[in-house]
Amino acid sequence: MGFVIAVDGPAASGKGTIAGRLAREYGLPHLDTGLLYRAVGLKVLEAGGSLDDAEAAQAAARGLDARTLSDDLRLTTGEAGEAASRVAGHPGVRAALLTLQQDFAAQAGGAVLDGRDIGTVIAPDATAKLFVTATPEVRASRRWKQLTARGDAIALEDMLADIRRRDERDAGRGAAPMVQAHDAALLDTTDLGIEAAFDAARRIVEAARARHGL
Ligand code: C5P
């Protein structure tokens, strides 16, 4: 495996921004794996299916074209996030998305992936592993600011309830639950702005690189 950076953590912890900045810093391709689950959830909803239907969700996951994901704004809505976390509990969906993610991680030059199970399941041998967290209140307020800035009407307290529900579902599921890998560095961004959080992330990656002699 090349130079792989695994960034995991709960919703709105800052992991996506940190992963994107690390990818630019080191000139590595970046995969936001949450987009895969969001796309599967939306496909099921658009076909009029139920998110509890494991077969339908697995079929949607098998037919996914990852190249079409990054520019689709519908994938960034709260509805898509909620749908994602429901289909993500089906083991068949996770299995259908496994090879795509592992292939991305195995690219010759290396890669950055962010999600919930990158350091534990997708790339257990990653060079550097970060688990990015923040309190639910701070995460809810960050996500609320993002969504209201683009015109979505949602109450802060509903946002907090959504975040807590999603944390519980992601950490409580049987298939690849969200958990800090034993060898991941914990980065709590509760009191950090984006620059400070990125600096801390870079220090973690540099230390890991030095350990691996890279
Ligand atoms: O990170 P994001 O909010 O886009 O993820 C949406 C949902 O997709 C998460 O709540 C989680 O249930 C699921 N997910 C996952 N494994 C990943 C990435 C996302 O289960 N590697």
Side-chain angles (χ1 to χ4, degrees):
M1 186 174 275
F3 175 27
V4 175
I5 305 178
V7 185
D8 290 302
S13 57
K15 69 180 186 310
T17 308
I18 287 172
R21 294 271 307 251
L22 287 171
R24 249 181 292 147
E25 174 82 8
Y26 293 103
L28 297 171
H30 170 214
L31 180 63
D32 169 359
T33 62
L35 285 180
L36 305 173
Y37 293 92
R38 288 167 178 264
V40 172
L42 274 191
K43 260 171 104 172
V44 171
L45 290 179
E46 279 166 7
S50 158
L51 297 168
D52 296 326
D53 181 346
E55 293 293 318
Q58 192 175 341
R62 278 205 217 96
L64 202 69
D65 182 353
R67 287 166 305 187
T68 61
L69 298 181
S70 52
D71 298 331
D72 192 341
L73 255 192
R74 290 170 316 156
L75 294 175
T76 63
T77 61
E79 188 197 14
E82 176 69 15
S85 98
R86 290 185 51 194
V87 295
H90 300 307
V93 168
R94 308 200 71 85
L97 298 176
L98 188 68
T99 310
L100 190 160
Q101 297 174 83
Q102 289 185 329
D103 286 351
F104 193 90
Q107 292 178 79
V112 181
L113 290 88
D114 77 85
R116 303 288 188 291
D117 63 341
I118 308 304
T120 50
V121 174
I122 304 297
D125 298 328
T127 317
K129 297 185 188 180
L130 290 82
F131 193 82
V132 184
T133 59
T135 61
E137 289 77 12
V138 163
R139 290 187 283 123
S141 128
R142 284 179 190 157
R143 187 51 61 86
W144 180 81
K145 279 184 197 144
Q146 275 172 4
L147 293 179
T148 48
R150 69 178 219 195
D152 292 359
I154 179 159
L156 181 57
E157 64 207 61
D158 292 341
M159 195 72 248
L160 181 58
D162 282 358
I163 291 259
R164 287 191 195 280
R165 190 173 55 238
R166 194 116 77 81
D167 284 358
E168 246 175 58
R169 195 184 290 136
D170 288 349
R173 70 180 171 223
M178 172 177 71
V179 62
Q180 181 182 353
H182 69 89
D183 51 352
L186 183 67
L187 174 51
D188 186 334
T189 66
T190 301
D191 298 317
L192 301 180
I194 178 57
E195 291 306 326
F198 174 61
D199 277 349
R202 195 171 39 191
R203 280 196 296 275
I204 291 168
V205 173
E206 285 305 317
R209 273 214 314 174
R211 272 201 308 279
H212 284 80
L214 288 172

